[in-house]
Amino acid sequence: MHNTLTRVQNVFGFFTSVAFAVAAGIAMSVLLSPQAPSASLELKNVQVVKGRPHYYSTKREEYAHVKFDLDADLTSLFNWNTKQLYLSITASYPSSDPSTIPPSEAVIWDAIIPSDYAPLHPNTYIHPASKAKKSAKPKKKESGKPYPAGGSPGIVRLENQKPKYQITDVSGKIAKRGNATLSLHWNVQPWVGALVWTNKNSIGRWQGLQGGEAKFDFPPLKGTEVKKDDLKTETGGERNRGSPA
Amino acid sequence: MFGSLATLQPRQLAAQVLNFALVLSTAFMLWKGLSVFTDSSSPIVVVLSGSMEPAFQRGDLLFLWNRGQETQVGEVVVYNVRGKDIPIVHRVIRRFGGGSAPLQLLTKGDNNAADDTELYARGQSYLDRSQDIVGSVVGYVPFVGYVTILLSEYPWLKTAMLIFMALTVVLQRE
């Protein structure tokens, strides 16, 4: 009657049902964890120069190099179901027809901040040491953590941060575009369940993001007076993959 | 085991086969129904490559939603390269257009150093939201899809599984 095959089937079926119920419970339980994210984002400098999309391209387009200051406290976004946080700073500007076409947007900088419980992965953000510490101990071994020393995941303090990407418009012209906005976005990657993006409004226990926006204008095109050092971009954790990446 | 097969009458055997066919068609109906509900040709996909690590690992199951036409920067989308049938799961990093103009997107894998310009078809610099995108990721379950990766890498597993399932359904006497 109850041979081995039936027993194995019953156990496996029960295991599947329980695993499914636990996963659903974990996914829904994130709504109970309160969130109060806040950030202060400021533009430091923006320059527009002529460049090429890649080495062999013959197109000459205008590229904007945007440096910024960021002071964010996103620790409340990390709950029991957070695997990592994808942070990004984007520059958005109005389109050629603002009444019918929404603003264009491009990422200038991003970082992947894993939770402390996530397994170690080379594609992780390494928070730069603060300038004050650098002058005190010039060759101290970098802690290599995605948050500043003494902090916890979600705290990001950057000064005069170089962008990771130089951006252009699809038309190739980005100089002298006015009414642009620099804004902070995030994407919470859970262990299981729904992905969550930036919320500006408050929903239940989750408060919306306070701050995290800065308005600016793209300056006119600069010529040869811009030094090559000023146009260096930041490299991210994805370069640790070796080549080809 | 085969003795019981010999004593099955043709009517019972036909009933078992019909049962099996009903199970298969119900699964197919559920899949197509979900496809219509999400407006996506493939509402559940398995991550095949490591280009989105550490967010998505190989074998993760992703749930897609295709009814949001105004895809925002930072969303993870699944798209097919024009002319090829391989779905790629990457994050949107630039968007132009939308509203009355076609929405153009540029994507990049989190674990890739360069954006996807080289992956797109010849002469294509941006993805078109209405044509190339299969859906946008709204939820995920880790590891569950690894079975499909095994099935595609070891084709004999597929035949073995089908034969095993057919045998258990036919030989079970409820």
Side-chain angles (χ1 to χ4, degrees):
Chain A
M1 235 354 168
H2 289 283
N3 55 12
T4 319
L5 187 62
T6 322
R7 286 177 209 260
V8 167
Q9 269 185 326
N10 288 341
V11 167
F12 184 70
F14 190 56
F15 166 74
T16 320
S17 315
V18 168
F20 178 72
V22 168
I26 294 175
M28 307 278 272
S29 66
V30 284
L31 292 168
L32 298 173
S33 136
Q35 288 183 355
S38 68
S40 132
L41 178 61
E42 277 166 26
L43 178 83
K44 195 70 183 210
N45 191 18
V46 54
Q47 293 173 318
V48 180
V49 292
K50 276 244 188 242
R52 292 172 290 192
H54 52 269
Y55 191 72
Y56 294 108
S57 170
T58 49
K59 280 197 282 190
R60 293 278 284 166
E61 296 179 326
E62 299 173 357
Y63 283 92
H65 184 94
V66 183
K67 288 196 209 164
F68 58 91
D69 287 347
L70 176 66
D71 187 354
D73 182 3
L74 304 171
T75 47
S76 54
L77 295 177
F78 282 85
N79 51 40
W80 52 86
N81 196 23
T82 305
K83 183 156 95 167
Q84 72 174 46
L85 187 68
Y86 171 83
L87 268 187
S88 62
I89 307 258
T90 66
S92 67
Y93 49 91
S95 59
S96 49
D97 188 6
S99 53
T100 52
I101 302 179
S104 306
E105 200 168 355
V107 171
I108 58 164
W109 179 88
D110 57 35
I112 291 183
I113 302 175
S115 138
D116 279 334
Y117 303 109
L120 201 60
H121 195 276
N123 185 12
T124 301
Y125 180 59
I126 295 179
H127 196 283
S130 68
K131 286 226 166 91
K133 272 223 168 104
K134 256 194 201 153
S135 55
K137 282 182 186 177
K139 214 47 189 166
K140 184 175 160 72
K141 184 166 168 249
E142 238 190 53
S143 64
K145 291 227 174 281
Y147 44 87
S152 62
I155 297 190
V156 185
R157 287 194 203 112
L158 303 171
E159 274 177 59
N160 205 13
Q161 172 66 46
K162 296 180 290 196
K164 270 176 87 180
Y165 314 107
Q166 295 186 322
I167 59 169
T168 185
D169 185 50
V170 67
S171 63
K173 307 245 174 291
I174 202 163
K176 289 194 279 193
R177 282 185 188 260
N179 229 351
T181 314
L182 209 59
S183 44
L184 175 73
H185 301 268
W186 71 72
N187 177 201
V188 175
Q189 175 76 26
W191 285 109
V192 63
L195 273 65
V196 184
W197 280 268
T198 323
N199 57 312
K200 292 272 161 76
N201 311 312
S202 301
I203 306 170
R205 292 193 187 188
W206 289 7
Q207 292 185 11
L209 173 65
Q210 305 284 328
E213 268 193 22
K215 295 234 183 277
F216 70 104
D217 295 320
F218 285 104
L221 191 60
K222 281 222 173 96
T224 48
E225 64 264 27
V226 177
K227 295 198 211 70
K228 255 213 156 150
D229 282 351
D230 287 347
L231 294 176
K232 286 223 163 76
T233 50
E234 187 73 56
T235 52
E238 57 263 35
R239 300 236 174 222
N240 299 338
R241 210 173 152 194
S243 78
Chain B
M1 189 161 66
F2 287 107
S4 62
L5 185 57
T7 56
L8 271 181
Q9 291 167 2
R11 193 179 201 146
Q12 274 178 321
L13 184 62
Q16 295 281 27
V17 169
L18 184 64
N19 216 9
F20 188 55
L22 275 176
V23 167
L24 278 185
S25 54
T26 315
F28 186 69
M29 277 195 321
L30 281 174
W31 172 258
K32 285 297 171 188
L34 189 63
S35 211
V36 168
F37 180 62
T38 60
D39 196 25
S40 163
S41 59
S42 174
I44 304 182
V45 296
V46 175
V47 176
L48 299 172
S49 75
S51 57
M52 276 295 286
E53 289 189 4
F56 302 135
Q57 323 281 349
R58 256 167 68 92
D60 289 349
L61 207 66
L62 304 178
F63 298 101
L64 305 183
W65 184 252
N66 201 23
R67 290 193 184 265
Q69 286 302 318
E70 288 299 322
T71 312
Q72 297 299 318
V73 163
E75 279 189 38
V76 182
V77 294
V78 177
Y79 65 93
N80 282 319
V81 178
R82 273 185 210 162
K84 304 209 173 104
D85 207 12
I86 315 165
I88 302 181
V89 187
H90 281 170
R91 203 181 286 270
V92 174
I93 59 166
R94 288 189 205 170
R95 56 166 277 163
F96 308 105
S100 55
L103 178 58
Q104 291 178 300
L105 304 171
L106 180 66
T107 57
K108 172 182 171 290
D110 284 350
N111 210 16
N112 289 346
D115 59 39
D116 288 353
T117 313
E118 286 164 15
L119 289 176
Y120 299 158
R122 208 148 234 240
Q124 184 188 12
S125 310
Y126 296 97
L127 294 175
D128 192 322
R129 168 76 183 84
S130 49
Q131 288 184 3
D132 301 309
I133 307 285
V134 173
S136 167
V137 179
V138 289
Y140 104 117
V141 181
F143 304 135
V144 169
Y146 210 79
V147 173
T148 36
I149 294 186
L150 288 175
L151 283 178
S152 61
E153 290 188 358
Y154 306 108
W156 54 265
L157 260 185
K158 226 187 266 184
T159 344
M161 253 182 68
L162 273 176
I163 294 178
F164 182 71
M165 272 167 40
L167 275 178
T168 44
V169 168
V170 166
L171 294 178
Q172 255 176 4
R173 304 239 267 141
E174 296 290 342

